[in-house]
Amino acid sequence: MEGKHAMERNQGMKGVPVAFFLKSLLFSYILTGALLALLAFLLYRFGLGERVVSIAIIAIYVVATFFSGFVAGKRMESRRFFWGLLMGGAYFLVLAVVSLAVGKGDVQVGKSFFTTLALCAGGGMLGGMLS
């Protein structure tokens, strides 16, 4: 009887391709790196202001999570918004952990923290919905 329950649990996990999600998350960070490099070049070349750079960074988060959610939604075919939301949340989680590690633990959780979470999750969800 125990073997039957274990097989049912494994079949439930079979529908969630973990390797695919990790690849999709890696792609979103490669895209982020490329867009940030482009932003750095534009900053160097044109001397962009702080406000423009801040807006561009927010746009980069949304674009990266949008594409990640879009790819996840295409792959999963059902509950696309959920998988996109999951990808956006995972993107933010990695971003927050790396920020904590680099910042030596001195992180203030303010409204920008939650705004970034909402933007990442919303970008991923939108990508999933439009896939």
Side-chain angles (χ1 to χ4, degrees), residues 18-55:
V18 176
F20 168 75
F21 284 113
L22 292 176
K23 287 178 188 177
S24 183
L25 193 59
L26 178 64
F27 169 74
S28 66
Y29 275 105
I30 290 171
L31 179 62
T32 299
L35 291 174
L36 285 174
L38 176 63
L39 178 61
F41 172 74
L42 293 173
L43 178 62
Y44 171 75
R45 182 81 171 116
F46 300 110
L48 303 175
E50 184 177 337
R51 184 160 173 81
V52 172
V53 172
S54 295
I55 291 170

Side-chain angles (χ1 to χ4, degrees), residues 44-125:
Y44 171 75
R45 182 81 171 116
F46 300 110
L48 303 175
E50 184 177 337
R51 184 160 173 81
V52 172
V53 172
S54 295
I55 291 170
I57 290 172
I58 290 169
I60 289 170
Y61 288 159
V62 173
V63 166
T65 56
F66 175 85
F67 280 114
S68 183
F70 187 84
V71 170
K74 281 284 189 192
R75 173 75 183 256
M76 296 310 292
E77 297 178 357
S78 67
R79 294 188 294 173
R80 295 175 184 178
F81 71 95
F82 171 74
W83 297 110
L85 179 68
L86 187 67
M87 290 306 300
Y91 180 93
F92 176 78
L93 182 65
V94 171
L95 188 68
V97 167
V98 169
S99 295
L100 280 170
V102 170
K104 299 178 181 86
D106 185 29
V107 175
Q108 297 175 353
V109 178
K111 68 179 181 179
S112 66
F113 181 85
F114 294 110
T115 302
T116 305
L117 171 61
L119 288 170
C120 290
M125 188 169 59

